[in-house]
Amino acid sequence: MAGVVSAFSYAGLTDQRLLALTPAEAMLVMLVVPAIFMFTKNGEKQLPSAASFSSIDSLDDEKSFMQRMAVVRSLLRYMIPLFLTYFAEYLINQGLLELTLFDCDKGFGTSPASQYRWYQVLYQVGVFVSRSSINVVQMNMLFIALMPVFQLVNTAFFMLNAIYAFIPNFAIVCGIILYEGLIGGASYVNTFHHIHKKIDPSVRSFALSTVSLADSIGILLAALVSIPVHNAICSMRWYA
């Protein structure tokens, strides 16, 4: 929900047809949020006791390095799809969407910068909806394994469009980005739901923390790859 609110707030504050603030002014306005958090107390949170920490430490000590590596190997069926999904997803968001822009006639009167901001809003909406639907829609391992395939297809589609610009309208891109967010959120929430339900409780915490590295590494790698991809597309002769 925080992603939806923050993305929508920034897009609304800077949209020329709404509040029309500059990005710097919008960021200054949004500083009120951390200021509110700083001066608001939700009550004192009780810290875990020393006994609980010692029990955790003793549990970890019981697991040898090889045992932990065996657990990690068993988690690869979760980590690889999650990594690929988030790599493809953030390659789109960080390297291709800024090349998917339209003029005023085809972009509903929005500027290229505003279009990119509304793309991020729709992406966050898709993520929020799919992550909130785990009690309604639960995927099996086959569908979890297919999530990166769907997202990589999206990546290839946006890459081709960045080069050849064949999508005729801003609204079509908005729909695809919403779908992209739905895939990413579904992959994330169903992966961790499966781990919570299927993994032995004695290693569940270790499994959750280990698998959480997969999407972080995917995002990091996508950020590194998106720079040369973006530059390569922009250096093509029809971008000159």
Side-chain angles (χ1 to χ4, degrees), residues 26-49:
M27 294 301 295
L28 289 173
V29 170
M30 294 177 73
L31 285 176
V32 70
V33 177
I36 292 172
F37 288 159
M38 184 172 63
F39 292 107
T40 302
K41 288 188 176 181
N42 294 323
E44 297 294 332
K45 293 184 178 180
Q46 185 176 1
L47 295 175
S49 64

Side-chain angles (χ1 to χ4, degrees), residues 10 13-14 16 19-31:
Y10 184 70
L13 288 170
T14 55
Q16 293 299 313
L19 295 181
L21 299 181
T22 66
E25 291 169 341
M27 294 301 295
L28 289 173
V29 170
M30 294 177 73
L31 285 176

